[in-house]
Amino acid sequence: MTQTLGDMLLETGRITKSQFELANREKKRTGAKFGEILERLGFISHEEVLDFVGKQTETPYLDFSKTPIDGEAVKLIPEEVARLSKLIPVEINEGTLTVAMANPNDINAIDRLREIAKLTIEPRIADEETILSYVDDFYGMTIDPERVIEESLSQALSLEEVEEETPPLIKLVDSLIAQGIKERATDVHIEADESVGRVRYRIDGVLETAFILPKKIYRAVVSRIKIMSELDITESRIPQDGSFRFTYNTQEIDVRVSTMPIFYGESVVMRILQKPKFLLSLADLGYWGDNLERFQRLVQKPFGMIVITGPTGSGKSTTLYAALTTLNTLEKNLITLEDPVEYQLPMTKQSPIHSKAGYTFAKGLRSILRHDPDIILLGEMRDEETAEMAFRASMTGHLVFTTLHANTASAAVARLLDMNVEPFVVASSILAVIAQRLARRICSKCKESYTPSEEELSYYEQLKELKNPVFYRGRGCEKCKHTGYKGRIGIFEVLEVNEEVNQLILKKGISSDIEKAAKMKSMLDDGIEKVLKGVTSLDEIRRVIG
C-alpha cells in the first residue's frame, strides 16, 4: 500500500504530530488536498510538497534552478500540447525526452508526447505556475503585450486628438503595465524631456529604456494612469499618490502610483507589488554558511530585536518574511504592522498601515501590545516614538523584527543612537543587525568563465590574495535579453551583538571597532564569495556595494 503524504512527512520528521493533526482536521473540514493545507499553514514549502509527492508517486521532482531547459527539447513539442497538458520539455538524453509536468500521472498526455517526439518520455513533477511561466518564455505569450503596444500606439497616433478614454490609449496603457509585469519589473517609469516621452522598467534593480512615446501620447498616458489611480487629472503642479489593482493573466496585482511635476510635464512611477508565488527560504535568498547558521539561531530567541537594514529595494521585507516562516506560529501569536502587506502569511495577524486615516506605525504598535503578541514584525522604524515603543516591546518579552534605512550593520547601530534611543536600551535589546543588498545573478543560459585581469584584482584587497582565481560573466542571450543577468541574489552581513559589541554600544564606540568585535563576515566578503562561486559578477558587487 502506498504511503500517504502525511505519513511520509511525519515519519521523516518534516512535520510534527501537532502539525499533522491540525492539517488533518482542516482536510476533513474543507476537503482540500493535504499538501495544499500544509502549504497554506506555512508548515512546508511548495517545493517540498512537490518533492515528497514525487517520492510518493515514484516520479522525481524537477528543480528548474538545477536543470536548465534545453531549447532544442522544447522545439519537439507543439505549444498547444504544452499549454493544454501543462508541461514543458526539459532535455534530450540518449533517446529519452525528460518532461516537467504538473500532473505526471496523465497517461494520455505522455502517450501523445511519445507519439509526437518519437522518443521515450521520462516525466518529472514540477510546479504548475513555473511550468506555464516557462511555456510563456519559450513559446511566447498567448497575447504579446509588446505587439499590442506597437499596434495601439500606431492607432493612437492616427487620431487627431488623443484622449485618456479612447480605446487605443486604454489598450496602450494596459499593455505597458502588462509588459512590465511580464519582464519582472518592480517599477515602471514614465517621464518626458523636451521632445519625447519615455517608458523605462526597473528589472533586477537596473532601469532599462523600453519604449519612446510621442509627446501628445505621453500626456494622454499620464492622464490615463491618473484616472486609474483616482488622482486629479487637472492638477499637475504638485505631487500626487494613488493606487489601483491590475489584472494580469487572471492574477490581481496591486500598483502604487506616484506623480511629480518636472520641467517638461509630469513624471509617473508605478510600483508593481507582485506577490511572489511562494516564499523563498533563507538559503534561497543567499544566506549561506555562518550567516545562515547565525540567523537561524537568532530567530529562535524568545525576545529581543532583529533589525534588517539596507536601501529601498534591497529585499528587506523578503528577508523578514523568510525568517517568519521558520517560526512555529502554532504556539506563538505573531502580529505584523506593514505598509503595505506584501504577502499573506499563514497563522499570522497582518495589519496594514493607513497614514491618511491616522493609523501609523506608532499607533498600531501601541494597539499590538494590547493583543498579547509573542512575535512582532514592524515594517519600519521611521521615528523616535516608534523606535521607543519597539524597544520597549523587545525588553518586555517579545521578539521584534523590523527594518531601518542605513548602509551597513554598524551604521544602523549609530542611527538608532541618533534617534535618541539610550545606549543601554540598544545594547540590551538588539540581538543582531543584518545589512543587505541585492546583486543580479549571472544568466545560467549564457554563463562563461574567464581569468580576471590585474586591474580587476586590484579593486579590493581581498582579491589580491587570490591565486589563479576564475570569475564568471554572462555573454548575453535571448533568455536574459542580452544583459548577461537574470534574477537576483542577496549579499549580507550579520552583526550579532556579543558581550564585546554590547560594551562598545554602551560607550558609543565607532563603527569600525564594532565590526571587529562582532567577528562578522562583511558584505564585501560575502559578495566576493558569491563571485568566486559563479553566482554573480565582480561588476555587480562594485555596483551594489561600491
Side-chain angles (χ1 to χ4, degrees), residues 38-110:
L38 290 173
E39 283 181 59
R40 195 164 63 240
L41 292 172
F43 297 154
I44 190 169
S45 72
H46 185 58
E47 289 74 22
E48 287 178 298
V49 169
L50 290 176
D51 188 27
F52 274 97
V53 169
K55 290 172 182 174
Q56 184 188 27
T57 59
E58 298 183 350
T59 307
Y61 166 63
L62 189 136
D63 184 346
F64 286 106
S65 66
K66 297 175 182 175
T67 311
I69 293 174
D70 181 355
E72 294 303 312
V74 175
K75 292 176 183 177
L76 294 175
I77 304 301
E79 177 183 354
E80 59 269 21
V81 174
R83 287 192 186 279
L84 180 65
S85 300
K86 297 173 182 174
L87 57 86
I88 186 80
V90 176
E91 62 183 3
I92 310 165
N93 186 22
E94 296 181 354
T96 298
L97 177 64
T98 301
V99 182
M101 304 179 69
N103 179 14
N105 296 320
D106 187 344
I107 303 300
N108 292 332
I110 293 171

Coordinates of all heavy atoms in Angstrom, one line a residue, residues 38-110:
L38 N -1.0 22.0 4.2 CA 0.3 22.2 4.8 C 1.0 23.5 4.3 O 1.6 24.3 5.1 CB 1.2 21.0 4.6 CG 0.9 19.7 5.3 CD1 1.7 18.6 4.8 CD2 1.0 19.9 6.8
E39 N 0.9 23.8 3.0 CA 1.5 25.0 2.5 C 0.8 26.2 3.0 O 1.4 27.2 3.4 CB 1.3 25.0 0.9 CG 2.3 24.1 0.2 CD 2.0 24.2 -1.3 OE1 2.1 25.3 -1.8 OE2 1.7 23.2 -1.9
R40 N -0.5 26.2 3.0 CA -1.3 27.3 3.5 C -1.1 27.7 4.9 O -1.0 28.8 5.3 CB -2.8 27.0 3.3 CG -3.7 28.2 3.4 CD -5.1 28.0 2.8 NE -5.8 27.0 3.5 CZ -6.3 25.9 3.0 NH1 -6.0 25.6 1.7 NH2 -7.0 25.0 3.7
L41 N -0.8 26.6 5.7 CA -0.5 26.8 7.1 C 1.0 27.2 7.4 O 1.3 27.6 8.5 CB -0.8 25.6 7.9 CG -2.3 25.2 8.1 CD1 -2.5 23.8 8.7 CD2 -3.1 26.2 8.9
G42 N 1.8 27.1 6.3 CA 3.2 27.5 6.4 C 4.1 26.5 7.0 O 5.2 26.8 7.4
F43 N 3.6 25.2 7.1 CA 4.4 24.2 7.7 C 5.5 23.7 6.8 O 6.5 23.1 7.2 CB 3.5 23.0 8.2 CG 2.5 23.4 9.2 CD1 1.4 22.7 9.4 CD2 2.8 24.5 10.1 CE1 0.4 23.0 10.4 CE2 1.8 24.8 11.1 CZ 0.7 24.1 11.2
I44 N 5.3 23.8 5.5 CA 6.2 23.2 4.5 C 6.1 24.0 3.2 O 5.1 24.6 2.9 CB 5.8 21.7 4.2 CG1 6.9 21.0 3.4 CG2 4.4 21.6 3.6 CD1 6.7 19.5 3.3
S45 N 7.2 24.1 2.5 CA 7.2 24.9 1.2 C 6.5 24.2 0.1 O 6.4 22.9 0.1 CB 8.6 25.3 0.9 OG 9.3 24.2 0.4
H46 N 6.2 24.9 -0.9 CA 5.6 24.3 -2.1 C 6.5 23.3 -2.8 O 6.1 22.2 -3.2 CB 5.2 25.4 -3.1 CG 4.4 24.9 -4.3 ND1 3.3 24.2 -4.2 CD2 4.7 25.0 -5.6 CE1 2.8 23.9 -5.4 NE2 3.7 24.3 -6.3
E47 N 7.8 23.6 -2.9 CA 8.8 22.7 -3.5 C 8.9 21.4 -2.7 O 9.0 20.3 -3.3 CB 10.2 23.4 -3.6 CG 10.3 24.5 -4.5 CD 9.5 25.7 -4.1 OE1 9.3 25.9 -2.8 OE2 9.2 26.6 -4.9
E48 N 8.9 21.5 -1.4 CA 9.0 20.3 -0.5 C 7.8 19.4 -0.7 O 7.9 18.2 -0.8 CB 9.1 20.7 0.9 CG 10.5 21.3 1.3 CD 10.5 21.7 2.8 OE1 9.8 22.6 3.1 OE2 11.3 21.1 3.5
V49 N 6.6 20.0 -0.9 CA 5.4 19.2 -1.1 C 5.6 18.4 -2.4 O 5.3 17.2 -2.5 CB 4.1 20.1 -1.2 CG1 2.9 19.3 -1.7 CG2 3.8 20.6 0.2
L50 N 6.0 19.2 -3.5 CA 6.2 18.5 -4.8 C 7.3 17.4 -4.7 O 7.1 16.3 -5.3 CB 6.6 19.5 -5.8 CG 5.6 20.5 -6.2 CD1 6.1 21.6 -7.2 CD2 4.4 19.8 -6.9
D51 N 8.3 17.7 -3.9 CA 9.4 16.7 -3.8 C 8.8 15.4 -3.1 O 9.1 14.3 -3.6 CB 10.5 17.3 -3.0 CG 11.8 16.4 -2.9 OD1 11.9 15.6 -3.9 OD2 12.5 16.4 -1.9
F52 N 8.1 15.6 -2.1 CA 7.5 14.4 -1.3 C 6.5 13.7 -2.2 O 6.4 12.5 -2.2 CB 6.9 14.8 0.0 CG 8.0 14.9 1.1 CD1 8.6 16.1 1.5 CD2 8.3 13.7 1.8 CE1 9.5 16.1 2.5 CE2 9.3 13.8 2.8 CZ 9.9 15.0 3.2
V53 N 5.6 14.5 -2.9 CA 4.6 13.9 -3.8 C 5.3 13.1 -4.9 O 4.9 12.0 -5.2 CB 3.7 14.9 -4.4 CG1 2.9 14.3 -5.5 CG2 2.8 15.6 -3.4
G54 N 6.5 13.6 -5.4 CA 7.3 12.9 -6.4 C 7.8 11.5 -5.8 O 7.7 10.5 -6.5
K55 N 8.2 11.6 -4.6 CA 8.7 10.3 -4.0 C 7.6 9.3 -3.8 O 7.7 8.1 -3.9 CB 9.4 10.6 -2.6 CG 10.7 11.4 -2.8 CD 11.3 11.8 -1.5 CE 12.6 12.6 -1.7 NZ 13.1 13.2 -0.4
Q56 N 6.4 9.9 -3.4 CA 5.2 9.1 -3.1 C 4.8 8.4 -4.4 O 4.4 7.2 -4.4 CB 4.1 10.0 -2.6 CG 2.8 9.3 -2.2 CD 1.7 10.3 -1.9 OE1 1.7 11.4 -2.4 NE2 0.8 9.8 -1.0
T57 N 4.8 9.1 -5.5 CA 4.4 8.5 -6.8 C 5.5 8.0 -7.7 O 5.3 7.6 -8.8 CB 3.6 9.6 -7.6 OG1 4.5 10.7 -7.8 CG2 2.4 10.1 -6.9
E58 N 6.7 8.0 -7.1 CA 7.9 7.5 -7.8 C 8.2 8.3 -9.1 O 8.6 7.7 -10.1 CB 7.8 6.0 -8.1 CG 7.7 5.1 -6.8 CD 7.7 3.6 -7.1 OE1 7.5 3.3 -8.3 OE2 7.8 2.9 -6.1
T59 N 7.8 9.6 -9.0 CA 8.1 10.5 -10.1 C 9.0 11.6 -9.5 O 8.5 12.5 -8.8 CB 6.8 11.1 -10.7 OG1 6.0 10.0 -11.1 CG2 7.2 11.9 -11.9
P60 N 10.3 11.6 -9.8 CA 11.2 12.6 -9.2 C 10.7 14.1 -9.4 O 10.2 14.4 -10.5 CB 12.5 12.3 -9.8 CG 12.4 10.9 -10.3 CD 11.0 10.7 -10.7
Y61 N 11.0 14.9 -8.4 CA 10.7 16.4 -8.5 C 11.8 17.0 -9.4 O 13.0 16.7 -9.2 CB 10.7 17.0 -7.1 CG 10.7 18.5 -7.1 CD1 9.7 19.3 -7.7 CD2 11.8 19.1 -6.5 CE1 9.8 20.6 -7.6 CE2 11.8 20.5 -6.4 CZ 10.8 21.3 -7.0 OH 10.9 22.6 -7.0
L62 N 11.4 17.9 -10.3 CA 12.4 18.6 -11.1 C 12.6 20.0 -10.6 O 11.6 20.8 -10.6 CB 12.0 18.6 -12.6 CG 13.1 19.2 -13.5 CD1 13.2 18.3 -14.8 CD2 12.8 20.6 -13.9
D63 N 13.8 20.4 -10.2 CA 14.2 21.7 -9.7 C 14.8 22.4 -10.9 O 15.9 22.1 -11.4 CB 15.2 21.6 -8.6 CG 15.5 23.0 -8.0 OD1 15.2 24.0 -8.6 OD2 16.2 23.0 -6.9
F64 N 14.0 23.4 -11.5 CA 14.5 24.2 -12.7 C 15.8 24.9 -12.4 O 16.5 25.1 -13.4 CB 13.4 25.1 -13.1 CG 12.2 24.5 -13.8 CD1 11.0 24.4 -13.1 CD2 12.3 23.9 -15.0 CE1 9.9 23.8 -13.7 CE2 11.2 23.3 -15.6 CZ 10.0 23.2 -14.9
S65 N 16.1 25.3 -11.2 CA 17.3 26.0 -10.9 C 18.5 25.1 -11.1 O 19.6 25.6 -11.4 CB 17.3 26.6 -9.5 OG 17.3 25.6 -8.6
K66 N 18.3 23.8 -11.0 CA 19.4 22.9 -11.2 C 19.4 22.2 -12.5 O 20.4 21.6 -13.0 CB 19.4 21.8 -10.1 CG 19.6 22.4 -8.7 CD 19.4 21.3 -7.6 CE 19.6 21.9 -6.2 NZ 19.3 20.9 -5.1
T67 N 18.3 22.2 -13.2 CA 18.2 21.6 -14.5 C 17.6 22.6 -15.5 O 16.4 22.8 -15.7 CB 17.2 20.4 -14.5 OG1 17.6 19.6 -13.4 CG2 17.2 19.6 -15.7
P68 N 18.5 23.4 -16.2 CA 18.0 24.4 -17.2 C 17.3 23.7 -18.4 O 17.6 22.6 -18.7 CB 19.3 25.1 -17.6 CG 20.4 24.1 -17.3 CD 20.0 23.3 -16.1
I69 N 16.4 24.4 -19.0 CA 15.6 23.9 -20.1 C 16.4 24.0 -21.4 O 17.0 25.1 -21.7 CB 14.3 24.7 -20.2 CG1 13.4 24.3 -19.0 CG2 13.6 24.3 -21.5 CD1 12.1 25.1 -18.9
D70 N 16.5 23.0 -22.2 CA 17.1 23.0 -23.5 C 16.1 23.4 -24.5 O 15.1 22.7 -24.7 CB 17.6 21.5 -23.7 CG 18.4 21.4 -25.1 OD1 18.4 22.4 -25.8 OD2 18.9 20.4 -25.3
G71 N 16.4 24.5 -25.2 CA 15.5 25.0 -26.3 C 15.3 24.0 -27.4 O 14.2 24.0 -28.0
E72 N 16.3 23.1 -27.6 CA 16.1 22.1 -28.7 C 15.0 21.1 -28.3 O 14.3 20.6 -29.1 CB 17.4 21.4 -29.0 CG 18.5 22.3 -29.6 CD 18.0 22.9 -30.9 OE1 17.4 22.2 -31.8 OE2 18.1 24.2 -31.0
A73 N 14.9 20.8 -27.0 CA 13.9 19.9 -26.5 C 12.5 20.5 -26.6 O 11.6 19.8 -27.0 CB 14.2 19.5 -25.0
V74 N 12.4 21.8 -26.3 CA 11.1 22.5 -26.4 C 10.6 22.4 -27.8 O 9.4 22.2 -28.1 CB 11.3 23.9 -26.0 CG1 10.0 24.7 -26.2 CG2 11.7 24.0 -24.5
K75 N 11.5 22.5 -28.8 CA 11.0 22.5 -30.2 C 10.3 21.2 -30.7 O 9.6 21.2 -31.7 CB 12.2 22.8 -31.2 CG 12.8 24.2 -31.0 CD 14.1 24.3 -31.9 CE 14.7 25.7 -31.7 NZ 16.0 25.8 -32.5
L76 N 10.6 20.2 -29.9 CA 10.0 18.9 -30.3 C 8.5 18.8 -30.1 O 7.7 18.0 -30.7 CB 10.6 17.7 -29.6 CG 12.1 17.5 -29.9 CD1 12.7 16.4 -29.0 CD2 12.3 17.0 -31.3
I77 N 8.0 19.6 -29.1 CA 6.5 19.6 -28.7 C 5.8 20.9 -29.1 O 6.3 21.9 -28.7 CB 6.5 19.3 -27.2 CG1 7.2 18.0 -26.8 CG2 5.0 19.2 -26.8 CD1 6.8 16.8 -27.5
P78 N 4.7 20.8 -29.8 CA 3.9 22.0 -30.1 C 3.4 22.7 -28.9 O 3.2 22.1 -27.8 CB 2.7 21.4 -30.9 CG 3.1 20.0 -31.3 CD 4.0 19.5 -30.3
E79 N 3.3 24.0 -29.1 CA 2.8 24.9 -28.0 C 1.5 24.5 -27.4 O 1.3 24.5 -26.2 CB 2.8 26.4 -28.4 CG 2.3 27.3 -27.4 CD 2.1 28.8 -27.9 OE1 2.5 29.0 -29.1 OE2 1.6 29.6 -27.2
E80 N 0.5 24.2 -28.3 CA -0.8 23.8 -27.8 C -0.8 22.6 -26.9 O -1.6 22.5 -26.0 CB -1.8 23.7 -29.0 CG -1.5 22.5 -30.0 CD -0.6 23.0 -31.1 OE1 0.0 24.1 -31.0 OE2 -0.6 22.4 -32.2
V81 N 0.1 21.6 -27.2 CA 0.2 20.5 -26.3 C 0.7 20.8 -25.0 O 0.3 20.4 -23.9 CB 1.0 19.4 -27.0 CG1 1.3 18.2 -26.1 CG2 0.4 18.9 -28.3
A82 N 1.8 21.7 -25.0 CA 2.4 22.1 -23.7 C 1.4 22.9 -22.9 O 1.3 22.6 -21.6 CB 3.6 23.0 -24.0
R83 N 0.7 23.8 -23.5 CA -0.3 24.6 -22.7 C -1.5 23.7 -22.2 O -1.9 23.8 -21.0 CB -0.8 25.7 -23.5 CG 0.2 26.8 -23.7 CD -0.5 28.1 -24.3 NE 0.5 29.1 -24.6 CZ 1.1 29.9 -23.8 NH1 0.7 29.9 -22.5 NH2 1.9 30.8 -24.1
L84 N -2.0 22.9 -23.1 CA -3.2 22.1 -22.7 C -2.9 21.1 -21.6 O -3.6 21.0 -20.6 CB -3.7 21.3 -23.9 CG -4.9 20.4 -23.7 CD1 -6.1 21.3 -23.4 CD2 -5.2 19.6 -24.9
S85 N -1.7 20.5 -21.6 CA -1.3 19.4 -20.6 C -0.5 20.0 -19.5 O 0.0 19.2 -18.7 CB -0.7 18.2 -21.3 OG -1.5 17.7 -22.3
K86 N -0.2 21.3 -19.6 CA 0.6 22.0 -18.5 C 2.0 21.2 -18.3 O 2.3 20.7 -17.3 CB -0.1 22.0 -17.2 CG -1.4 22.9 -17.3 CD -2.3 22.8 -16.1 CE -3.5 23.6 -16.3 NZ -4.5 23.5 -15.2
L87 N 2.8 21.3 -19.4 CA 4.1 20.6 -19.3 C 5.1 21.4 -20.1 O 4.7 22.3 -20.9 CB 4.0 19.2 -19.9 CG 3.4 19.0 -21.3 CD1 4.5 19.1 -22.4 CD2 2.7 17.7 -21.5
I88 N 6.4 21.1 -19.9 CA 7.4 21.8 -20.7 C 8.6 20.7 -20.9 O 9.1 20.1 -19.9 CB 8.0 23.0 -20.0 CG1 9.0 23.8 -20.9 CG2 8.6 22.8 -18.6 CD1 8.4 24.6 -22.0
P89 N 9.0 20.5 -22.1 CA 10.1 19.6 -22.4 C 11.4 20.2 -21.8 O 11.6 21.4 -21.9 CB 10.2 19.5 -23.9 CG 8.9 19.9 -24.4 CD 8.4 20.9 -23.4
V90 N 12.2 19.4 -21.2 CA 13.4 19.9 -20.5 C 14.7 19.6 -21.2 O 15.5 20.4 -21.5 CB 13.4 19.4 -19.0 CG1 14.7 19.9 -18.3 CG2 12.2 19.9 -18.3
E91 N 14.9 18.3 -21.5 CA 16.2 17.9 -22.1 C 16.1 16.6 -22.8 O 15.2 15.8 -22.5 CB 17.3 17.8 -21.0 CG 17.1 16.8 -20.0 CD 18.2 16.8 -18.9 OE1 19.1 17.6 -19.0 OE2 18.1 15.9 -18.0
I92 N 17.0 16.4 -23.8 CA 17.0 15.1 -24.5 C 18.4 14.4 -24.2 O 19.4 15.0 -24.2 CB 17.0 15.3 -26.1 CG1 15.8 16.2 -26.4 CG2 16.9 14.0 -26.8 CD1 15.9 16.8 -27.8
N93 N 18.3 13.1 -23.8 CA 19.5 12.4 -23.5 C 19.3 10.9 -23.9 O 18.5 10.2 -23.3 CB 19.7 12.5 -21.9 CG 21.0 11.9 -21.5 OD1 22.0 11.8 -22.3 ND2 21.1 11.5 -20.3
E94 N 20.1 10.5 -24.9 CA 20.2 9.1 -25.3 C 18.8 8.6 -25.6 O 18.4 7.5 -25.1 CB 20.9 8.3 -24.3 CG 22.4 8.7 -24.1 CD 23.1 7.8 -23.1 OE1 22.4 7.0 -22.4 OE2 24.3 8.0 -22.9
G95 N 18.1 9.3 -26.4 CA 16.8 8.8 -26.9 C 15.6 9.0 -25.9 O 14.5 8.5 -26.1
T96 N 15.9 9.7 -24.8 CA 14.9 9.9 -23.8 C 14.6 11.4 -23.7 O 15.5 12.2 -23.6 CB 15.3 9.4 -22.4 OG1 15.5 8.0 -22.6 CG2 14.3 9.7 -21.4
L97 N 13.3 11.8 -23.7 CA 12.9 13.2 -23.5 C 12.4 13.4 -22.1 O 11.4 12.8 -21.7 CB 11.8 13.6 -24.6 CG 11.3 15.0 -24.4 CD1 12.3 16.1 -24.7 CD2 10.1 15.2 -25.4
T98 N 13.1 14.2 -21.3 CA 12.6 14.5 -20.0 C 11.6 15.6 -20.0 O 11.9 16.7 -20.7 CB 13.8 14.9 -19.0 OG1 14.7 13.8 -19.0 CG2 13.3 15.2 -17.6
V99 N 10.5 15.5 -19.4 CA 9.4 16.5 -19.5 C 8.9 16.8 -18.1 O 8.6 15.9 -17.3 CB 8.2 15.9 -20.3 CG1 7.1 17.0 -20.4 CG2 8.6 15.5 -21.7
A100 N 8.9 18.1 -17.7 CA 8.3 18.6 -16.5 C 6.8 18.7 -16.6 O 6.3 19.3 -17.6 CB 8.9 19.9 -16.1
M101 N 6.1 18.1 -15.7 CA 4.6 18.0 -15.8 C 4.0 18.4 -14.5 O 4.5 18.0 -13.4 CB 4.2 16.7 -16.2 CG 4.8 16.1 -17.5 SD 4.2 14.5 -18.0 CE 2.5 14.8 -18.4
A102 N 2.9 19.2 -14.6 CA 2.1 19.5 -13.4 C 1.4 18.2 -12.9 O 1.2 18.0 -11.7 CB 1.1 20.6 -13.6
N103 N 1.0 17.3 -13.8 CA 0.4 16.1 -13.5 C 1.1 14.9 -14.2 O 0.7 14.5 -15.3 CB -1.1 16.1 -13.9 CG -1.8 14.8 -13.6 OD1 -1.3 13.9 -12.8 ND2 -3.0 14.6 -14.1
P104 N 2.2 14.4 -13.6 CA 3.0 13.4 -14.3 C 2.2 12.0 -14.4 O 2.7 11.1 -15.0 CB 4.2 13.2 -13.4 CG 3.7 13.7 -12.1 CD 2.7 14.7 -12.3
N105 N 1.0 11.9 -13.8 CA 0.2 10.7 -13.9 C -0.8 10.7 -15.1 O -1.6 9.8 -15.3 CB -0.6 10.5 -12.6 CG 0.4 10.2 -11.5 OD1 1.4 9.5 -11.6 ND2 0.0 10.8 -10.3
D106 N -0.7 11.8 -15.9 CA -1.5 12.0 -17.1 C -1.0 11.0 -18.2 O -0.2 11.4 -19.0 CB -1.6 13.4 -17.5 CG -2.6 13.7 -18.6 OD1 -3.0 12.7 -19.3 OD2 -2.9 14.9 -18.9
I107 N -1.5 9.8 -18.2 CA -1.1 8.8 -19.2 C -1.3 9.2 -20.6 O -0.5 9.0 -21.5 CB -1.7 7.4 -18.9 CG1 -1.4 7.0 -17.5 CG2 -1.3 6.4 -19.9 CD1 0.0 6.8 -17.1
N108 N -2.5 9.8 -20.9 CA -2.9 10.3 -22.2 C -1.9 11.3 -22.8 O -1.5 11.2 -23.9 CB -4.3 10.8 -22.2 CG -5.4 9.8 -22.0 OD1 -5.2 8.6 -22.3 ND2 -6.5 10.2 -21.4
A109 N -1.5 12.2 -21.9 CA -0.5 13.2 -22.3 C 0.9 12.6 -22.6 O 1.5 13.0 -23.6 CB -0.4 14.3 -21.2
I110 N 1.3 11.7 -21.8 CA 2.6 11.0 -22.0 C 2.5 10.2 -23.3 O 3.5 10.2 -24.1 CB 2.9 10.1 -20.8 CG1 3.2 11.0 -19.6 CG2 4.1 9.2 -21.1 CD1 3.3 10.2 -18.3

